[in-house]
Amino acid sequence: MAEKQVDVMEKIVSLCKRRGFVFPSSEIYGGFAAVYDFGPYGVELAKNIREIWWKYMVQLREDIVGLDSAIFMHPKIWEASGHVAGFSDPLAECKNCHTRVRVDHLLEEIGVLADEKMTEAQINMLLVENKEKILCPKCGKRDFTEAKSFNLLVQSNLGNFTGDWTKEPTYLRGETCQGIYVNYKNVLDSSRVKVPFGIAQIGKAFRNEITARQFIFRTRELEQMEMQYFTKPEMEMDEYEKLRAYRWQFYLDMGIKEGHLRWHKHENLVFYAKEAYDIEYEFPFGFKELEGVHARGDYDLTQHAKFSGVSLDYLDPVSNEKYVPHIIESSVGVGRMFLAFLTEAYREEALEGGDTRIVLKLPKKLAPVKVAVFPLMKNKPELVAKAKEVFDALKGDFMCEFDDNGNVGKRYRRQDEIGTPYCVTVDFDSLEDGAVTVRDRDSMQQERIKIDALYGYLQGKF
Ligand code: ATP
C-alpha cells in the first residue's frame, strides 16, 4: 500500500474518532475486535445512507417493496442456504506469532487469484506454491499452518435451555437476504406485486470474520442493504443488466467519481450463479468490493422449497404459467458505503495565508448536520437569543446544530470537518437589519440573507 494512501486512511480513522463519527466498540475495556459504534455524527450519516438507499430501492420503484425480517430464523434456513456446510473462509495461523490470517486475502495481495469457493486442498496447494512470497502481516515470518475452512456463521443458544446447545445451535443471520427468500410467498400473497418484483431490506448481519483489519470495511457485526428481485427465468439476464446500470448510477448520483469505481467480474462462480459482478470502489487501501450485484438463478427458492416442503412456485395470473422465479440481487454494507463516502469526501485544502482546512465534501443530502447556527459571541444575550430563534425556526425541517464554542473561524473549521453545508451567523447587524450571514462549505462564500427569507433560501439549496 502506498504510504500516501495509508496516510489518508489514518487521517479518516482519526477524524472519525475526533469528531464522533465512529468509535471502536468497548473502548474503555480495551476494545472488541472488528466491532464499531457510530457516534453522534456517524449515526446521522448512517441514517442518511439508509434513507437514500431506501429512496432509490423502494420509494422510487413501484416494483419493489420493503421488509424487515427478524435476525433470528429457523436454523434449517441456514442448512438450506448452504451456510452451515459452506459459508467459510480459509484460515491459517502464523507458527511464529499465532496471528490468524485469511489465506485467500494473502494470496490476493501477491496477485494470486483465490477465493472462498476453492476447496481446502486447492487453497493449500496455492499456499505451498507461494510459500516464499506470503508474509505474516504481523511479524513478517513465512511459516504458516495448513489452511482450514473456518465457518463464519455466529451461533447462539436462543430458545435452547440445555447445557449443550452447540449441538443444535440457532444462528445470528449471516446475511439479510435469507429473510427475504422465506417471506417471498407472504409478500406475494399479501400485496399487489407481480413478477417481476423486488423486496428490499436493511438490517444487521453477523459474520465471524477471521481478519479484523481495515476499520469499518470488514466488521463482525455489520448492516446490510439488500434487494432481491424475482424475475421470469428467461428475463433474468435482461433484468440483471438493468439492475447493474441502476446501481452504478446510484453511486454517480452520490457524487462518486466514475474513475473511483470499477466492475469486477467473478471468474469462479458458485455452481448455481448465472453471473456475478461486484462494484469496487477505490478505498485508500486500493480497489475493493463495495457492493455485489449477482444473478442467482432459481437456487434460493428451490432450496427453501426443498427444505421446508412448501412450494414456492409462482403462478402467472395472466398466462397461467407456473415457474420458480429467478433472483437477481444487489447487496451492500452500510459501513462499507459509509467508508466509501468518507473517502470520496475527505479533502485537505490550502487556504490563503498558509492555513489549511480539512473538509468533508459530502453530498448535502448525506451531511450529518445540514445547518449550523452561531451567535457571533456567546456572552451577548441578545445575540444568543436571536440565534436561538433562528435555530428553532429551522430545526423542524433541517438537522441543525447550535454552536457557540470558540470564535467563528474555529466553528467553521469544526463544521467543515463534519461536512456541514451551511453555517448561519447572527451578528450585531442582524439585530438591526434582520439579516444573517450564510457561509457555504464548498465555496466558503458568504451571503447576507434576511431571516424571513432564510427558510426558503435553505429549502432551495437542499
Ligand atoms: P468479502 O469478499 O469482502 O468478504 P462477500 O463477498 O463475502 O464480501 P457478500 O456476502 O456478497 O460479501 O455481502 C454483500 C455486501 O455486504 C458486501 O459487498 C459488503 O458491502 C457487505 N459486507 C459483507 N461482509 C461484510 C463485513 N464483514 N463487514 C462489512 N460489510 C460487509
Side-chain angles (χ1 to χ4, degrees), residues 82-100:
H83 282 73
V84 171
F87 186 45
S88 52
D89 285 333
L91 176 147
E93 198 173 300
C94 168
K95 286 188 186 162
N96 180 52
C97 71
H98 304 291
T99 293
R100 292 184 175 139

Side-chain angles (χ1 to χ4, degrees), residues 87 89 102 105 116 175 207 209 216-224 226 266 278 289-292 294 329 331-337:
F87 186 45
D89 285 333
R102 211 176 127 174
H105 281 174
E116 68 269 26
E175 59 185 19
R207 297 180 177 190
E209 297 281 0
I216 53 172
F217 177 82
R218 185 178 305 287
T219 51
R220 294 187 177 134
E221 176 175 337
L222 58 133
E223 193 171 9
Q224 287 186 309
E226 297 201 287
H266 289 212
D278 296 332
E289 172 175 343
L290 170 59
E291 160 165 349
H294 306 151
E329 71 169 358
S331 173
V332 57
V334 172
R336 226 172 253 196
M337 202 186 272

Side-chain angles (χ1 to χ4, degrees), residues 154-172:
V154 178
Q155 301 186 349
S156 105
N157 65 345
L158 189 89
N160 187 322
F161 304 98
T162 67
D164 58 355
W165 60 270
T166 49
K167 287 193 188 133
E168 284 184 356
T170 45
Y171 302 98
L172 280 90

Side-chain angles (χ1 to χ4, degrees), residues 338-379:
F338 187 111
L339 185 58
F341 288 162
L342 281 187
T343 307
E344 191 72 13
Y346 185 89
R347 305 271 202 302
E348 282 173 20
E349 290 181 349
L351 301 176
E352 279 169 29
D355 231 1
T356 56
R357 69 163 182 163
I358 293 172
V359 54
L360 283 187
K361 293 200 165 167
L362 287 166
K364 290 176 198 167
K365 49 191 166 255
L366 293 176
V369 173
K370 308 291 186 225
V371 185
V373 181
F374 313 151
L376 183 67
M377 295 162 90
K378 87 185 219 186
N379 56 358

Side-chain angles (χ1 to χ4, degrees), residues 399-410:
M399 188 69 203
C400 290
E401 184 165 280
F402 189 85
D403 191 354
D404 60 4
N405 262 319
N407 63 38
V408 170
K410 280 211 178 105

Side-chain angles (χ1 to χ4, degrees), residues 53-59 61 64 227 246-247 330:
W53 185 88
W54 196 261
K55 184 167 185 182
Y56 271 69
M57 301 309 281
V58 180
Q59 191 180 332
R61 301 282 302 243
I64 303 179
M227 196 282 294
Y246 192 65
R247 292 306 303 155
S330 141

Side-chain angles (χ1 to χ4, degrees), residues 108-275:
E108 214 177 87
E109 273 168 28
I110 57 160
V112 177
L113 181 76
D115 60 45
E116 68 269 26
K117 285 150 223 136
M118 287 180 171
T119 61
E120 249 176 43
Q122 285 172 313
I123 288 278
N124 275 313
M125 215 156 72
L126 291 175
L127 188 59
V128 171
E129 276 168 19
N130 295 284
K131 198 172 181 297
E132 290 309 309
K133 287 188 248 160
I134 302 179
L135 308 180
C136 169
K138 187 145 178 228
C139 71
K141 291 263 163 39
R142 293 189 175 86
D143 199 7
F144 293 99
T145 60
E146 255 193 16
K148 285 217 164 3
S149 290
F150 179 80
N151 192 289
L152 305 185
L153 275 183
V154 178
Q155 301 186 349
S156 105
N157 65 345
L158 189 89
N160 187 322
F161 304 98
T162 67
D164 58 355
W165 60 270
T166 49
K167 287 193 188 133
E168 284 184 356
T170 45
Y171 302 98
L172 280 90
R173 65 182 172 199
E175 59 185 19
T176 54
C177 56
Q178 296 302 325
I180 297 182
Y181 306 142
V182 299
N183 275 294
Y184 141 85
K185 219 169 163 36
N186 283 335
V187 172
L188 203 56
D189 294 345
S190 61
S191 54
R192 297 171 58 85
V193 293
K194 288 195 198 82
V195 168
F197 75 97
I199 304 178
Q201 161 155 257
I202 301 177
K204 292 267 179 155
F206 301 82
R207 297 180 177 190
N208 234 337
E209 297 281 0
I210 295 164
T211 42
R213 285 183 294 142
Q214 296 166 329
F215 193 41
I216 53 172
F217 177 82
R218 185 178 305 287
T219 51
R220 294 187 177 134
E221 176 175 337
L222 58 133
E223 193 171 9
Q224 287 186 309
M225 303 185 280
E226 297 201 287
M227 196 282 294
Q228 307 291 316
Y229 199 76
F230 301 82
T231 73
K232 222 174 160 176
E234 55 272 32
M235 294 307 291
E236 179 178 6
M237 296 320 287
D238 284 351
E239 294 294 349
Y240 180 61
E241 288 311 317
K242 281 195 236 164
L243 182 62
R244 279 183 56 197
Y246 192 65
R247 292 306 303 155
W248 185 263
Q249 188 57 43
F250 169 83
Y251 290 107
L252 302 185
D253 292 353
M254 291 306 110
I256 304 263
K257 280 207 191 81
E258 198 152 15
H260 294 165
L261 293 169
R262 73 179 186 197
W263 285 108
H264 166 76
K265 187 172 188 212
H266 289 212
E267 297 302 339
N268 186 14
L269 286 176
V270 277
F271 68 93
Y272 54 81
K274 289 278 183 54
E275 195 155 270

